[in-house]
Structure formats: C-alpha cells, structure tokens
Amino acid sequence: PRTFFENAVRGTSGIGPGRKFDASPFAVRIGGELIFDEQELGLPADRLAEMPAVAKWSVLAARKAIADAGVDLAHEDPYAIDVIAGISLPSLQSLEARFLERDWAGMAAATPQTVFVMNPAAAALQIGRDLGLHGEVVNITTACSSSASAIGYAARLIRSGESSCVATGGAEESI
C-alpha cells in the first residue's frame, strides 16, 4: 500500500501492457493489471490451489483493512463480525482452463478445486476462514455494481443494528 500511495503522489501510473493474454489483435493493448505474489499470503500450496486469484487478493486486502482499521481480532467476538463481498465472476481464464483441461483429458481431469475456484463467493468464504470470522458470510453478485452493492448492504446492516462490524468490499478478475 505504501508503494501505491507513493506512486500516486508522484503521478506514476500502474497502467501498462497486459500480460494475461495476447492483446496484439486489439487497438488498445494497455490496462490496469494487478501484479501479485501469492506467496505473500503465507498459505500452504493446497489452500492456494483452491483459491481463485480474486480470493487471494481479497484475503490480503481484508488483512490489511483490518490492520489499518486498528481492529484487534484477538479481542473481538468472531461470531459478531460479518463478511460481505461483492464479486460477480471469479475468473473467466480459470473457467476456460478447467474446460480445456476436461476436453483434453476427459472427466478424469476434473478436480475438486474447480468448485472452490469458480465459486463467486470464494473470496467471502476465504476471508472468513483466513480471519477466523464466523458471522454472516455473504457474496453479492450484481454484475458491475457488486462491490458498491456489498458496501451498501454492509452499511444497511450496521445502520439497522443487525451487525456491529462488517468486513466488506469487492474485486473482479473477469479476464
């Protein structure tokens, strides 16, 4: 986060050529792409295998948001903290890879991780799991407005008194 802030103040852009796919046939070949080292999470390989990239980013962001908010989870009731995420689609690239894997090697190539990797609620579930939160865990899928809808729903939960603390936000990894 410090590097992001420093770059923003300096006017250094994170926009550049995309690396996830060959953009040469397109008129526009640049965009914003999150460069992320999943090892930063410090999770075992089997756990990382069941997480789409958007869930990995979300877990890291949730850890940082909780720390930035000064919330000490060791002194909080884990059943009183809700997780509300806004994610429409974990990853079209992952979905394509799973289908191609199955086409090339047949149904024997299907893995149990597919259910976890393609679940839009994966980020909310993984945040709750990672932070040890046992309150309500919800994913809101409303296309482009998923993140805003999640934040709005979290605010309504707090305003109505249904919740006293909510970890909320959203992310997308459609490409």
Side-chain angles (χ1 to χ4, degrees):
R2 189 76 190 142
T3 303
F4 173 80
F5 178 76
E6 291 166 355
N7 284 339
V9 169
R10 282 194 307 264
T12 303
S13 174
I15 303 300
R19 294 183 262 181
K20 284 189 144 188
F21 63 92
D22 178 14
S24 62
F26 304 104
V28 177
R29 296 181 189 94
I30 62 170
E33 185 175 340
L34 180 62
I35 308 303
F36 176 70
D37 179 7
E38 64 183 27
Q39 299 309 310
E40 186 177 348
L41 287 168
L43 296 173
D46 61 333
R47 175 107 180 266
L48 290 170
E50 68 185 30
M51 295 172 72
V54 72
K56 295 170 189 172
W57 305 334
S58 297
V59 165
L60 185 60
R63 287 178 184 174
K64 292 181 179 194
I66 294 289
D68 286 351
V71 176
D72 183 356
L73 293 176
H75 294 97
E76 300 293 334
D77 177 3
Y79 293 89
I81 302 175
D82 301 326
V83 177
I84 312 295
I87 294 165
S88 292
L89 187 63
S91 169
L92 289 176
Q93 209 169 27
S94 294
L95 179 62
E96 179 185 40
R98 303 289 177 180
F99 277 113
L100 290 174
E101 210 172 65
R102 193 202 71 209
D103 284 348
W104 290 331
M107 285 305 289
T111 65
Q113 284 92 359
T114 301
V115 174
F116 298 112
V117 171
M118 295 316 305
N119 184 348
L125 296 167
Q126 293 290 348
I127 290 168
R129 181 178 177 190
D130 186 74
L131 298 176
L133 304 177
H134 303 292
E136 184 176 12
V137 176
V138 173
N139 183 71
I140 296 183
T141 301
T142 55
C144 297
S145 64
S146 297
S147 297
S149 295
I151 294 166
Y153 179 61
R156 284 192 305 279
L157 286 175
I158 291 171
R159 190 178 317 119
S160 71
E162 291 180 60
S163 184
S164 59
C165 185
V166 181
T168 187
E172 289 295 333
E173 189 210 7
S174 296
I175 296 179

